């Protein structure tokens, strides 16, 4: 999510993790939107030597209380919520979705190649209880959907207007890169 204009020096953050076990020095920081930061923390036990997090401060008015439920509250810093980037159950996709909603609503650009729709679809996969479930496909190669039965999130048994029955599995289509 690197938007160079929002990069800030770790010492300019309104918080630090000095003296907190399991958290090293902050080596990279970006302000995503008011009260929401994306940071990299030095951690020797990680394969890359660092771990990335979204950090939510009390000033983050854009993050609903339902999204705050997913965050990890540190005993030493109960005013902060952490969402481990890349960890499926940490809720980081929810925070990214909420940040993208904020940026879109305020006319700001999203990171190159990202979209609010893509953030929503990613959130649907791991957090359908928050973002919503994958939609039933209205059109299939075998006709338009007339009836459906939900099997699981994004998996539907569909009947079409051509009297065909088919198992539909929803997936996110990402734009393919083209080379000239």
């Amino acid at each position: 999510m690197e938007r160079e204009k929002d990069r800030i020096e770790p010492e300019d953050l309104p918080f630090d993790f000095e003296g907190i076990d399991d958290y090293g020095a902050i080596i990279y920081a970006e302000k995503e939107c008011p009260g929401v930061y994306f940071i990299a923390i030095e951690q020797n036990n990680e394969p890359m030597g660092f771990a990335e997090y979204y950090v939510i401060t009390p000033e983050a008015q854009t993050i609903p209380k339902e999204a705050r439920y997913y965050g990890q509250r540190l005993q030493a810093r109960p005013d902060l919520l952490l969402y481990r980037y890349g960890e499926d159950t940490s809720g980081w996709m929810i925070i990214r979705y909420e940040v993208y909603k904020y940026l879109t609503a305020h006319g700001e650009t999203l990171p190159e190649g990202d979209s609010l729709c893509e953030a929503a679809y990613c959130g649907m996969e791991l957090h359908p209880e928050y973002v919503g479930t994958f939609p039933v496909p209205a059109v299939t190669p075998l006709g338009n959907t007339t009836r459906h039965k939900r099997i699981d999130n994004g998996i539907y048994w569909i009947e079409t207007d051509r009297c065909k029955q088919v198992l539909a599995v929803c997936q996110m289509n990402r734009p393919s890169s083209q080379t000239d």
Side-chain angles (χ1 to χ4, degrees):
M1 267 219 269
E2 191 169 334
R3 292 186 312 276
E4 198 60 39
K5 66 179 178 136
D6 296 329
R7 183 174 181 169
I8 56 178
E9 294 302 318
E11 58 270 10
D12 293 335
L13 288 167
F15 57 86
D16 64 36
F17 293 131
E18 194 170 310
I20 300 176
D21 291 342
D22 299 327
Y23 294 93
I26 298 170
I27 55 176
Y28 178 84
E30 284 182 21
K31 184 174 183 178
E32 296 294 315
C33 65
V36 180
Y37 299 87
F38 184 79
I39 64 169
I41 299 174
E42 198 172 51
Q43 290 185 327
N44 295 331
N45 61 341
E46 292 295 322
M48 300 288 288
F50 64 91
E52 298 171 310
Y53 295 87
Y54 281 106
V55 179
I56 309 303
T57 67
E59 294 77 32
Q61 300 299 315
T62 60
I63 306 299
K65 67 178 180 178
E66 295 84 6
R68 293 171 187 264
Y69 166 79
Y70 295 87
Q72 174 190 359
R73 196 172 299 275
L74 299 176
Q75 190 172 1
R77 289 299 310 261
D79 57 324
L80 303 177
L81 290 170
L82 272 65
Y83 302 78
R84 174 86 184 250
Y85 185 79
E87 188 176 283
D88 291 349
T89 59
S90 75
W92 72 272
M93 286 185 186
I94 292 170
I95 301 305
R96 182 175 72 168
Y97 171 70
E98 292 296 340
V99 166
Y100 285 12
K101 279 177 40 180
Y102 174 88
L103 295 174
T104 301
H106 289 83
E108 296 185 38
T109 58
L110 300 180
E112 188 176 335
D114 284 352
S115 71
L116 179 58
C117 186
E118 182 179 347
Y121 278 134
C122 288
M124 286 177 194
E125 182 177 1
L126 294 174
H127 301 288
E129 74 285 354
Y130 184 87
V131 181
T133 59
F134 285 109
V136 178
V139 179
T140 76
L142 299 175
N144 297 325
T145 300
T146 56
R147 295 190 317 170
H148 74 276
K149 183 175 273 187
R150 183 180 185 269
I151 296 171
D152 201 350
N153 179 25
I155 303 174
Y156 301 97
W157 190 252
I158 293 178
E159 186 177 308
T160 71
D161 59 357
R162 295 183 195 160
C163 298
K164 302 288 184 183
Q165 293 187 1
V166 64
L167 180 67
V169 179
C170 299
Q171 70 178 33
M172 186 173 71
N173 290 327
R174 295 176 188 221
S176 61
S177 58
Q178 298 178 355
T179 56
D180 292 313

